[in-house]
Amino acid sequence: MSEIERVGVSLDKKLLGKFDEHAHKQGYSNRSEAIRDLIRERLSQEQLTRPNAKAVAGIFLVYDHHSSTLTTKLMHLQHNHLLHIIASTHIHLDHHNCLEIITVKGKVKEIQMLADKITCLKGVNICQTNMISTDE
Amino acid sequence: MSEIERVGVSLDKKLLGKFDEHAHKQGYSNRSEAIRDLIRERLSQEQLTRPNAKAVAGIFLVYDHHSSTLTTKLMHLQHNHLLHIIASTHIHLDHHNCLEIITVKGKVKEIQMLADKITCLKGVNICQTNMISTDE
Amino acid sequence: MSEIERVGVSLDKKLLGKFDEHAHKQGYSNRSEAIRDLIRERLSQEQLTRPNAKAVAGIFLVYDHHSSTLTTKLMHLQHNHLLHIIASTHIHLDHHNCLEIITVKGKVKEIQMLADKITCLKGVNICQTNMISTDE
Amino acid sequence: MSEIERVGVSLDKKLLGKFDEHAHKQGYSNRSEAIRDLIRERLSQEQLTRPNAKAVAGIFLVYDHHSSTLTTKLMHLQHNHLLHIIASTHIHLDHHNCLEIITVKGKVKEIQMLADKITCLKGVNICQTNMISTDE
């Protein structure tokens, strides 16, 4: 990334002590990095509240692969949303259950709509979406 | 609060610009205050993951006050947890529904237990808990 | 509430067993009540994603009452949003810190705006909002 | 999955109407399936509060691939946690940023620990974890 700026932050000593302890325990070697991560996280969360913000997401679905028509329907859904799908990873959890992670790119509202449709499919037991803002 | 310390944080210029814009939009007049709030929030969240941390909480319940035995049961529950209850505010939402906010102090796990018991009462339609860490 | 309808739900036996165990552990004496609560919770969450939905909320703020101008500013903010404020409860947490719970009624976006303004005030250390949908 | 049981749930007519509308809008063709999903989601969430529960997770990290030593450190971290890593998917977001989704299996607390370590690495801009319970 581009230029770096150094800014000063005034903090109550006790609050600073507690934050340093927390950051150290989590594994940070550097206080600046811990504060930068708080800032990035907040900005990303804020972006994701806007339906038109651009995002990349992983849609996680657990389904029973014995469910006869589900795989066809899933394939069909993905092809109708062809533009956004980047990749998909398939993992065998146990004899019945598969985990599939579908990675998609698009607007927040479009990703949510695809995730909703997948959630509703019979045979899909769990569907969770993890989104990250990619807006500049 | 006690002593103030001034620390330096290095930030990518673009990231800083976006954060300043976000903080300004939310209403902060001061960048330090926005960063302090991020830090306080994170520390409070972290505390609340510990079952034995001390907290203060508002338990919000919406219930139908026509439900004949509920008020007695609620009173009973509160008296059995007598030590923690600080205050309770009662609000008439409409003809049927009341909102009651019960403010309690105690360990995270004890507050959760009381909230769970209230949630399960027949006649309680919604029960939500908002906790704030009071640990030093 | 009005009329009751009885509906049938088909469930895998193992899933039902796990849910019964979970509901029992939380304190439910009745499976129907546990399922009703899941449904109410989901509907309330869904409502709260709409900026114009009506809601009632508790805004929790922890502040240092030694902060000289804060109480005036808080009073000022509340009076400028006069229509929505229903009640406010004040609790002494320790020598420095007060908890105030401001109960407000209004549209989701208006409540959020007031909460944002309070969060940004210098002297307010923690500000959290708990909202409940009141839409019919 | 094994045997199916049919259970009856008593619901206020108005509440049922709102839920049917919500489920239909989300895309469910079947009310039972919508209720089953609520139950599965609740059970999965409850499992994930236990540090020793088994889970599968996607750890999402966005990082700058120009960051010279990061890829080595990431590789190192993954090899030290060798047993749990199932797969990893790499996606080019833009000229600077990569998204990597590391899929891991293990106990909730172990996954959290690995995610914390990755979050703290300099060069990792965003790190989010999506967990799904796999406990029986």
Side-chain angles (χ1 to χ4, degrees):
Chain A
M1 301 243 170
S2 56
E3 287 168 78
I4 297 300
E5 199 167 323
R6 193 159 176 85
V7 302
V9 181
S10 304
L11 277 163
D12 179 87
K13 232 179 174 165
K14 234 162 87 187
L15 183 65
L16 185 63
K18 281 197 260 180
F19 183 63
D20 281 351
E21 195 188 325
H22 165 74
H24 179 76
K25 229 175 70 186
Q26 207 191 324
Y28 285 104
S29 55
N30 180 295
R31 188 199 289 147
S32 269
E33 180 64 11
I35 292 177
R36 279 194 295 273
D37 275 357
L38 282 181
I39 290 176
R40 286 191 201 103
E41 205 183 303
R42 164 62 55 96
L43 290 173
S44 174
Q45 285 167 353
E46 200 266 325
Q47 286 288 342
L48 294 176
T49 63
R50 306 187 191 172
N52 287 311
K54 280 183 221 151
V56 62
I59 302 176
F60 287 63
L61 53 152
V62 176
Y63 63 94
D64 185 340
H65 67 97
H66 294 117
S67 172
S68 55
T69 58
L70 179 63
T71 37
T72 323
K73 280 184 198 157
L74 263 177
M75 197 61 83
H76 191 67
L77 261 181
Q78 291 187 51
H79 276 271
N80 282 350
H81 289 258
L82 195 66
L83 291 169
H84 310 114
I85 313 264
I86 302 170
S88 104
T89 309
H90 187 102
I91 289 148
H92 296 278
L93 289 181
D94 57 39
H95 183 61
H96 284 285
N97 293 299
C98 299
L99 166 67
E100 188 143 339
I101 306 176
I102 304 175
T103 314
V104 294
K105 232 174 152 174
K107 292 186 182 175
V108 168
K109 66 179 176 191
E110 293 167 347
I111 295 172
Q112 199 49 63
M113 221 184 286
L114 176 59
D116 275 357
K117 279 187 192 156
I118 291 174
T119 305
C120 296
L121 290 177
K122 219 188 137 165
V124 171
N125 289 335
I126 299 269
C127 183
Q128 291 178 1
T129 305
N130 187 56
M131 259 192 245
I132 291 172
S133 156
T134 55
D135 259 12
E136 277 310 296
Chain B
M1 303 249 168
S2 56
E3 287 168 77
I4 297 299
E5 198 167 323
R6 193 159 176 84
V7 301
V9 181
S10 304
L11 278 163
D12 179 85
K13 232 179 175 165
K14 234 163 88 186
L15 183 66
L16 185 64
K18 281 198 261 179
F19 184 63
D20 282 351
E21 195 189 325
H22 165 75
H24 179 75
K25 229 176 69 186
Q26 207 190 325
Y28 286 104
S29 55
N30 179 296
R31 188 198 288 148
S32 269
E33 181 64 11
I35 292 177
R36 280 194 294 273
D37 275 358
L38 281 182
I39 290 176
R40 286 191 201 103
E41 207 183 302
R42 164 61 55 95
L43 290 174
S44 174
Q45 286 166 353
E46 200 266 323
Q47 284 288 342
L48 294 176
T49 62
R50 306 187 193 171
N52 286 312
K54 281 183 221 150
V56 61
I59 302 177
F60 288 63
L61 52 153
V62 176
Y63 64 93
D64 185 340
H65 67 97
H66 293 118
S67 172
S68 55
T69 58
L70 180 63
T71 37
T72 324
K73 279 185 200 156
L74 264 177
M75 197 63 83
H76 191 68
L77 259 181
Q78 290 187 51
H79 277 270
N80 283 347
H81 288 259
L82 195 66
L83 291 169
H84 311 113
I85 313 264
I86 302 171
S88 104
T89 310
H90 187 102
I91 288 148
H92 295 278
L93 289 181
D94 57 39
H95 183 62
H96 284 285
N97 292 299
C98 299
L99 168 67
E100 188 144 339
I101 306 176
I102 304 174
T103 315
V104 294
K105 231 174 151 174
K107 291 186 183 174
V108 168
K109 66 179 175 191
E110 292 166 348
I111 295 171
Q112 199 48 62
M113 223 184 286
L114 176 59
D116 276 357
K117 279 186 190 157
I118 292 174
T119 306
C120 295
L121 290 177
K122 219 187 138 165
V124 171
N125 289 334
I126 298 271
C127 183
Q128 290 177 3
T129 304
N130 187 54
M131 260 192 241
I132 292 173
S133 157
T134 55
D135 260 12
E136 280 307 300
Chain C
M1 303 245 170
S2 56
E3 287 169 78
I4 297 299
E5 198 168 322
R6 194 159 175 83
V7 300
V9 181
S10 304
L11 278 162
D12 179 87
K13 231 178 176 165
K14 234 162 88 186
L15 183 65
L16 184 64
K18 281 198 261 180
F19 183 64
D20 282 351
E21 195 189 326
H22 165 74
H24 179 75
K25 229 175 70 186
Q26 207 191 323
Y28 286 104
S29 55
N30 180 297
R31 188 198 288 148
S32 269
E33 180 64 11
I35 291 176
R36 279 194 295 272
D37 275 357
L38 282 182
I39 289 176
R40 286 191 201 102
E41 206 184 302
R42 164 61 56 95
L43 290 174
S44 174
Q45 285 167 353
E46 200 266 324
Q47 285 288 342
L48 295 176
T49 62
R50 306 187 192 172
N52 287 312
K54 282 184 219 149
V56 61
I59 302 177
F60 287 64
L61 51 152
V62 176
Y63 64 93
D64 185 341
H65 67 97
H66 293 118
S67 172
S68 56
T69 59
L70 179 63
T71 37
T72 324
K73 280 184 199 157
L74 263 177
M75 197 62 82
H76 191 69
L77 260 181
Q78 291 187 50
H79 277 270
N80 283 348
H81 289 257
L82 195 65
L83 292 169
H84 311 114
I85 314 265
I86 302 170
S88 103
T89 310
H90 186 102
I91 288 149
H92 296 278
L93 289 181
D94 57 39
H95 183 62
H96 284 284
N97 293 299
C98 299
L99 167 67
E100 189 145 338
I101 305 176
I102 304 174
T103 314
V104 295
K105 230 174 152 173
K107 291 185 182 174
V108 168
K109 65 178 176 192
E110 292 166 348
I111 295 171
Q112 198 49 61
M113 223 183 286
L114 176 59
D116 276 357
K117 280 187 190 156
I118 291 174
T119 306
C120 295
L121 290 177
K122 219 190 136 164
V124 171
N125 289 332
I126 299 269
C127 183
Q128 290 177 3
T129 305
N130 187 54
M131 260 193 244
I132 292 173
S133 156
T134 56
D135 260 12
E136 278 308 299
Chain D
M1 304 243 171
S2 54
E3 287 168 77
I4 297 299
E5 198 167 323
R6 194 160 176 83
V7 301
V9 181
S10 304
L11 277 162
D12 179 85
K13 230 179 177 165
K14 235 163 87 186
L15 183 66
L16 185 64
K18 281 198 261 179
F19 184 63
D20 281 351
E21 196 189 325
H22 164 75
H24 179 75
K25 228 176 70 188
Q26 206 190 325
Y28 285 104
S29 55
N30 179 296
R31 187 199 289 147
S32 269
E33 180 63 11
I35 292 177
R36 279 194 295 272
D37 275 357
L38 282 182
I39 290 176
R40 285 191 201 103
E41 206 183 302
R42 163 63 55 95
L43 290 174
S44 174
Q45 285 167 353
E46 200 266 323
Q47 285 288 342
L48 294 176
T49 63
R50 308 187 191 171
N52 286 313
K54 281 184 220 151
V56 62
I59 301 177
F60 287 63
L61 52 152
V62 176
Y63 64 94
D64 185 340
H65 67 98
H66 293 118
S67 172
S68 54
T69 58
L70 180 63
T71 36
T72 324
K73 280 185 199 156
L74 264 177
M75 197 63 82
H76 192 66
L77 260 181
Q78 291 186 49
H79 276 271
N80 283 348
H81 289 258
L82 195 65
L83 291 168
H84 311 113
I85 314 263
I86 302 171
S88 104
T89 310
H90 187 102
I91 288 149
H92 296 278
L93 290 181
D94 57 40
H95 183 61
H96 285 285
N97 293 299
C98 299
L99 167 67
E100 188 144 340
I101 305 176
I102 305 175
T103 314
V104 294
K105 231 175 154 174
K107 292 186 182 174
V108 168
K109 65 178 177 192
E110 293 167 347
I111 294 171
Q112 199 48 62
M113 222 185 284
L114 176 60
D116 276 356
K117 279 187 191 157
I118 291 174
T119 306
C120 295
L121 290 177
K122 220 188 136 165
V124 171
N125 289 334
I126 299 268
C127 183
Q128 291 177 2
T129 305
N130 187 54
M131 260 193 244
I132 292 172
S133 156
T134 55
D135 259 13
E136 278 307 298

